[in-house]
Amino acid sequence: MLGSIAKLLELYPDAKVVVEPSADPDDYNFLIQDQWVTIKKDHLSTKEKFLLSLVSQDNNNKSINNNWWNFLVHESDKIPSEKSNVRILQFEVQKLESDDRAKEWLNVFVDTFDDVVDSFWINKYTGILIEKETKTNMDKLEVQRMIQLIDSDFYTKSRVYVGQFWPINEKLPNIFDMERQLFHKSLEMKDNVNNLSTVILDFLIEQNLKNTDMFKSLKKKIDIDSKTTQMINALYKCDSNLTKTAKELFLHRNTLLYRMEKFHEQTGFDLKDRDDLVLCFLLLK
Amino acid sequence: MVEIDLNHIYKRYANAEEDNYAVSDFDLHIKDKEFIVFVGPSGCGKSTTLRMIAGLEDITKGELLINGKYENDTAPKDRDIAMVFQNYALYPHMTVFDNMAFGLKLRKYDKDTIKTKVDHAAKILGLSEYLDRKPAALSGGQRQRVALGRAIVRDAPIFLMDEPLSNLDAKLRVTMRAEIAKLHQELNTTTIYVTHDQTEAMTMADRIVVMSMGEVQQIGTPKEVYETPKNKFVAGFIGSPSMNFFDVHYKDGMVTDNGGLNLKVPEGRSKILDDAGYNDKDVTLGVRPEDIHAEGAMEETFPEATVESKVVVSELLGATSMLYSKVDDTEFVAIVDARDYHEPGATVRLTFDLNKAHFFDEKTTDAIE
Ligand SMILES: Nc1ncnc2c1ncn2[C@@H]1O[C@H](COP(=O)(O)OP(=O)(O)OP(=O)(O)O)[C@@H](O)[C@H]1O
Ligand SMILES: [Mg+2]
């Protein structure tokens, strides 16, 4: 195993063996053979982080003696007896002052939901809340508001991935595997509260496209500057409505049209065409 | 007494590419009790900058000084800062009192101190009668006031507000704007207020920081950024409706475009252009809608800056009216006296007051001064 760490350090030259896990939120910590290793998060893909989280001993997973957790991570086949559908909210909380504060934080978070089945920390920063489906579940925006509120009282910086509602059966652990990966991906996104809809594009691109030579070459060839980035984002956001887009960009409509034509000439992609626009939007990811 | 220095601050998010800074070279000295407004379009880096001051985002490069002390690495809870966010959510199951008191309870203040602080804040905000109510029994404005109250009880000398009014309807926004201004005078806090609404910036700020794409475009009083914008972006962003821009050719004291404009530039202004070496060059001409006139008196003063134009769309707005007009292919907006209202299709003679015009370098978009 020591050999594996050496090999790992070779593959990731900036990885470090450390005495204690780094508190820097930009670092990713994991425990191998009772040694802490830390790597800068931005040097890892979502997939790699997910894999590491599985092999790392850190998870304290073993010490989490919770029926739900054991079921969700395939440790136990015992299906929790719960009739209604549930959704799983995964959260990461940075800048908590102490373990006591972490407890209080979770209590306050739980209190904002109507019908919580279970909630627990799975390590120092991350935790799980399982909520029943009712008629009054909070939507993503409402969760975001509550998180902002709690963060302002605790001086924390939190992120939440709001899962979908699922029936509780033997498929749920597999679904949860996927939701965990989506949660990991969501930690890199701009908004602090995400769900399947907000993460899926970034996730798929990273999984399937981002590191392909085609995608990389295309990106290089087009060489999108920040003005063009803004234009493409705005067009996408405004559903290709030129008047709205021009307003959003504080441009005259004709100036916008001129820039789109210039882009067309230079790259061959016509931003007025829906498919071309979507492709360019994906290239920005 | 607090002063804040942001010295050449940069922010790059962990997942961003090498040279992709969300904020670059942000440099600002904030004076005690000043009301600073960050304004700019979506994604320009306003919140990122604010969150770096609050300690919620790390500063990639540069230094943050509060009262001369280096604060880059201070934990958020240890910075004497209160923050008000965009969403005025409250804990639904807690009373107004408890909502305001909660942060203090977490900080282990004793009961009496908490009561004094909450009562004081409630009095300032006119909420004393509502302290026992739950949020559901409050109006939108009252809820927003409780959100402010949650910040006031902290007695922090620095207030950071990130678009606190953006979720309110237009009428309430105007009331709350006045309320926040009043609050600032009463509490004497140093305040940084983020908005993408230039009207909000113009009416509330001591000084405005106009941002675009992560970079500061101009810092100045509302009057300064309005009257002497440093570049075309600031000129177009500040003021409503926006400044009209014309791509023109300047030669021997005249500006012309392909679309039918042919205007004489007053001597004082043409001298500036000549001295800066712009004779016989393409420049961008900027004229605010209120500097285009329909009265005959103006035409007498500036006969060579008058054009015959066609009204495309017109709106009557009380004392003034807006004429969206066209000269050949050149479109622009004029705000004129209500008496000079014209129906679409009408032909009007409009005079450009080029003494108040702005000229920008066509390539750099910097103002020519
Ligand atoms: N957590 C994050 N991770 C990665 N990039 C981010 C993150 N937060 C913001 N950004 C990016 O940084 C830039 C500045 O964003 P910021 O939120 O500061 O803008 P803003 O001026 O507050 O915009 P808005 O008016 O939309 O709130 C944007 O390009 C944004 O996508
Ligand atoms: Mg923002």
Side-chain angles (χ1 to χ4, degrees), chain A residues 129-145:
Chain A
L129 183 147
I130 300 163
E131 188 197 13
K132 267 194 224 179
E133 180 162 31
T134 63
K135 291 211 167 58
T136 54
N137 298 108
M138 287 195 269
D139 61 20
K140 180 174 71 80
L141 189 64
E142 287 167 318
V143 173
Q144 190 162 27
R145 289 182 181 172

Side-chain angles (χ1 to χ4, degrees), chain B residues 294-344:
Chain B
E295 313 90 270
M298 280 311 270
E299 182 170 353
E300 278 165 33
T301 324
F302 301 112
E304 288 176 276
T306 300
V307 294
E308 189 146 290
S309 52
K310 193 165 179 156
V311 178
V312 186
V313 177
S314 57
E315 285 171 32
L316 197 52
L317 312 158
T320 59
S321 71
M322 282 220 259
L323 304 179
Y324 296 84
S325 318
K326 237 178 149 171
V327 179
D328 289 352
D329 287 338
T330 309
E331 287 182 38
F332 57 91
V333 190
I335 300 184
V336 299
D337 201 281
R339 277 169 305 180
D340 296 311
Y341 173 81
H342 292 271
E343 294 288 338

Side-chain angles (χ1 to χ4, degrees), chain B residues 267-313:
Chain B
E267 225 160 85
R269 308 309 306 274
S270 60
K271 181 161 187 325
I272 295 173
L273 288 170
D274 293 339
D275 289 353
Y278 283 91
N279 196 25
D280 207 6
K281 294 257 165 66
D282 287 342
V283 295
T284 304
L285 164 69
V287 186
R288 294 207 182 271
E290 52 271 37
D291 296 328
I292 302 177
H293 302 267
E295 313 90 270
M298 280 311 270
E299 182 170 353
E300 278 165 33
T301 324
F302 301 112
E304 288 176 276
T306 300
V307 294
E308 189 146 290
S309 52
K310 193 165 179 156
V311 178
V312 186
V313 177

Side-chain angles (χ1 to χ4, degrees), chain A residues 105-231:
Chain A
W105 190 98
L106 185 53
N107 285 339
V108 175
F109 188 50
V110 168
D111 270 349
T112 63
F113 295 87
D114 288 337
D115 223 331
V116 174
V117 181
D118 205 347
S119 65
F120 46 91
W121 292 98
I122 54 174
N123 60 38
K124 214 170 159 188
Y125 304 110
T126 50
I128 298 261
L129 183 147
I130 300 163
E131 188 197 13
K132 267 194 224 179
E133 180 162 31
T134 63
K135 291 211 167 58
T136 54
N137 298 108
M138 287 195 269
D139 61 20
K140 180 174 71 80
L141 189 64
E142 287 167 318
V143 173
Q144 190 162 27
R145 289 182 181 172
M146 288 323 294
I147 281 292
Q148 235 173 37
L149 179 68
I150 297 172
D151 275 349
S152 71
D153 279 322
F154 283 85
Y155 291 93
T156 43
K157 179 176 156 191
S158 310
R159 294 181 151 272
V160 178
Y161 178 85
V162 183
Q164 313 295 116
F165 286 102
W166 307 107
I168 301 159
N169 56 32
E170 70 289 347
K171 286 194 197 116
L172 188 55
N174 295 335
I175 291 176
F176 181 64
D177 283 347
M178 181 80 186
E179 286 192 342
R180 278 184 94 188
Q181 296 186 53
L182 290 161
F183 169 56
H184 274 283
K185 181 70 204 169
S186 80
L187 296 178
E188 297 166 7
M189 307 207 32
K190 179 186 177 196
D191 281 342
N192 59 340
V193 176
N194 288 282
N195 60 17
L196 184 55
S197 313
T198 62
V199 182
I200 193 73
L201 269 188
D202 288 70
F203 180 75
L204 289 177
I205 286 175
E206 185 171 294
Q207 299 262 300
N208 300 314
L209 272 177
K210 206 165 186 167
N211 292 316
T212 60
D213 285 334
M214 184 187 85
F215 202 79
K216 282 197 249 176
S217 310
L218 197 56
K219 219 171 161 160
K220 207 168 187 177
K221 192 170 139 214
I222 294 191
D223 184 29
I224 300 177
D225 62 10
S226 57
K227 258 191 192 156
T228 315
T229 304
Q230 279 201 327
M231 174 168 76

Side-chain angles (χ1 to χ4, degrees), chain A residues 24-26 41-42 94-95 97 101 104 108 111-112 141 144-146 148-157 188-190 210 219 226-227 230 237 248-250 252 254-255 284-285, chain B residues 12 14-15 17 41-43 51 55-58 76-77 79 81-83 85-93 99 102-103 105-108 150 154 167 196 213 233 236-237 242 331:
Chain A
D24 186 339
D26 289 341
K41 269 187 190 165
D42 50 340
Q94 288 178 16
K95 306 206 185 269
E97 290 162 51
R101 264 295 135 81
E104 284 176 290
V108 175
D111 270 349
T112 63
L141 189 64
Q144 190 162 27
R145 289 182 181 172
M146 288 323 294
Q148 235 173 37
L149 179 68
I150 297 172
D151 275 349
S152 71
D153 279 322
F154 283 85
Y155 291 93
T156 43
K157 179 176 156 191
E188 297 166 7
M189 307 207 32
K190 179 186 177 196
K210 206 165 186 167
K219 219 171 161 160
S226 57
K227 258 191 192 156
Q230 279 201 327
K237 184 173 152 197
E248 172 94 12
L249 295 169
F250 302 95
H252 198 278
N254 289 337
T255 314
L284 299 180
K285 294 272 174 201
Chain B
R12 189 173 74 81
N15 53 324
E17 272 156 41
S42 183
R51 290 169 64 80
L56 295 167
E57 295 293 349
D58 294 331
K77 68 171 169 64
R79 300 184 188 194
I81 282 172
M83 202 155 168
F85 291 102
Q86 190 160 18
N87 299 307
Y88 51 107
L90 300 170
Y91 297 109
H93 53 284
N99 262 289
F102 187 66
K105 282 184 186 160
L106 279 179
R107 307 268 134 233
K108 307 268 188 284
R150 285 168 41 78
R154 292 197 184 156
N167 285 325
H196 60 260
M213 296 195 279
F233 177 83
F237 191 81
S242 298
E331 287 182 38

Side-chain angles (χ1 to χ4, degrees), chain B residues 144-172:
Chain B
Q144 181 64 339
R145 261 178 239 151
V146 179
L148 286 175
R150 285 168 41 78
I152 293 173
V153 294
R154 292 197 184 156
D155 273 337
I158 302 171
F159 257 48
L160 305 181
M161 306 198 190
D162 196 347
E163 310 221 17
L165 307 182
S166 65
N167 285 325
L168 305 180
D169 63 54
K171 209 171 130 204
L172 193 51

